[in-house]
Amino acid sequence: MTRAEEFEELRPLLFAIAYRILGSVSEAEDAVQETWMRYAASPTQPQSTKAFLSAVVTRISIDVLRSARARREEYVGQWLPEPLLTDTYEDPERSAELADSMSMAALLLLERLSPLERAVFVLREVFGFDFPEIAAAVGRSEAACRQLAVRARRHMDAGRPRFAADRRDREQLAERFFDAFREGDVDGLRELLAADVQIVADSGGKAPQWAAGIVGIDNVARVLAAIVAPLVRIGGLVEPHDVNGQPGAIFRDRDGRVVNTWALEILDGRIQTIRSVINPDKLRHVGPVADAWAVIREGNRARRSVE
């Protein structure tokens, strides 16, 4: 097997590691590409290609995350991870666990950790690397990595919800939610929303905030019902799709271009949070991106025409 073939075989794992450390599709792809360049230029063949490449992509991701944190402090509005529609790394026995580890909620919890804690947690808790491998990857002793892992796990456990829904239950609830949303059924929406439900939106200051910062079952249900009518009138589409391994949707304009994505956080049989990414810079990997301002203007005109 050639180096290129070895690398392509491991690419899904490398991307999965980088994305969970960085929360960014574009930065993860860049980290994986840089890993290939270093591997291709290496004069020696490593004893374990998987261990070598995983260590390289982890170190690159840590460095990128350290610089990205300064940029995120200056970010306009709420920062959310870039939506990921499909994780190409597959492990049938752990598919549900892997999906949960890349959820918006999990990635936002990971944001609370230091870059080293985050990398150690991802390698150990998500991908099951042993501590000698982790120590080699992050350049710390095994004892230090164990301490980092304990601290990271403590922070993550403290922030995790106590009652997560079964995957099949989540899918069924999401299906009912989007049916009620398309119909503008306020009562139907209310039945599916948690009392303290909220809508969180990430526009990065580059797109309109669609219903951002709305909290409470009554407010959210009314806003959701109000959104759908003008969207339908202008030929917009709501395409249910897993987003970060959780039920969600892609919103498209009449030409099929991406307006935004939604990811639903479902707890204890109710929708707790709707996270919307509308920043065009975070959607380009999903497909051609719509002009969200134009979509809003067209929707407003459609609404006024029937009032």
Side-chain angles (χ1 to χ4, degrees), residues 157 198 231 257:
D157 288 345
Q198 61 177 326
L231 182 69
R257 293 172 298 193

Side-chain angles (χ1 to χ4, degrees), residues 31-98:
V32 171
Q33 185 60 27
E34 177 64 22
T35 299
W36 160 246
M37 293 173 64
R38 294 188 188 185
Y39 181 44
S42 176
T44 60
Q45 180 66 26
Q47 184 174 5
S48 168
T49 304
K50 176 184 175 183
F52 175 81
L53 294 177
S54 298
V56 173
V57 81
T58 296
R59 293 189 203 111
I60 293 171
S61 297
I62 290 172
D63 290 341
V64 172
L65 182 59
R66 284 171 173 154
S67 62
R69 288 203 156 191
R71 296 194 302 273
R72 289 175 192 177
E73 289 176 359
E74 300 173 356
Y75 195 79
V76 178
Q78 173 72 49
W79 181 91
L80 292 176
E82 290 183 10
L84 183 64
L85 303 186
T86 304
D87 187 0
T88 56
Y89 178 71
E90 296 182 359
D91 183 343
E93 293 183 359
R94 300 181 59 243
S95 59
E97 184 180 353
L98 288 168

Side-chain angles (χ1 to χ4, degrees), residues 41-269:
S42 176
T44 60
Q45 180 66 26
Q47 184 174 5
S48 168
T49 304
K50 176 184 175 183
F52 175 81
L53 294 177
S54 298
V56 173
V57 81
T58 296
R59 293 189 203 111
I60 293 171
S61 297
I62 290 172
D63 290 341
V64 172
L65 182 59
R66 284 171 173 154
S67 62
R69 288 203 156 191
R71 296 194 302 273
R72 289 175 192 177
E73 289 176 359
E74 300 173 356
Y75 195 79
V76 178
Q78 173 72 49
W79 181 91
L80 292 176
E82 290 183 10
L84 183 64
L85 303 186
T86 304
D87 187 0
T88 56
Y89 178 71
E90 296 182 359
D91 183 343
E93 293 183 359
R94 300 181 59 243
S95 59
E97 184 180 353
L98 288 168
D100 286 344
S101 73
M102 70 172 186
S103 70
M104 289 278 184
L107 293 174
L108 288 171
L109 280 176
L110 284 169
E111 283 290 305
R112 303 178 184 181
L113 307 182
S114 71
L116 275 177
E117 288 172 340
R118 185 164 180 163
V120 169
F121 182 87
V122 167
L123 292 176
R124 179 63 180 172
E125 300 296 327
V126 180
F127 296 103
F129 282 64
D130 60 33
F131 281 108
E133 290 175 312
I134 296 171
V138 302
R140 296 291 188 275
S141 68
E142 289 183 41
C145 289
R146 291 180 187 277
Q147 292 178 341
L148 288 165
V150 169
R151 287 203 302 268
R153 193 181 307 116
R154 186 184 304 126
H155 285 305
M156 294 295 288
D157 288 345
R160 279 183 174 136
R162 293 178 57 196
F163 305 105
D166 174 80
R167 183 166 185 80
R168 181 57 186 156
D169 291 342
R170 284 184 296 192
E171 291 171 351
Q172 291 175 343
L173 190 147
E175 184 177 349
R176 292 168 56 201
F177 169 79
F178 285 114
D179 285 344
F181 174 70
R182 290 189 193 92
E183 296 168 5
D185 180 359
V186 176
D187 291 335
L189 289 167
R190 283 176 51 85
E191 292 178 3
L192 305 173
L193 302 174
D196 57 347
V197 62
Q198 61 177 326
I199 301 176
V200 180
D202 175 349
S203 73
K206 299 182 178 183
Q209 291 273 31
W210 278 26
I214 308 299
V215 179
I217 188 169
D218 292 325
N219 294 331
V220 169
R222 283 196 297 268
V223 167
L224 291 177
I227 287 174
V228 70
L231 182 69
V232 170
R233 290 191 196 104
I234 64 173
L237 301 173
V238 182
E239 178 185 309
H241 199 295
D242 276 4
V243 177
N244 286 78
Q246 310 298 313
I250 304 169
F251 285 68
R252 300 183 185 275
D253 68 6
R254 68 168 81 248
D255 298 315
R257 293 172 298 193
V258 179
V259 178
N260 67 329
T261 62
W262 278 6
L264 308 181
E265 182 180 348
I266 298 173
L267 303 175
D268 200 20

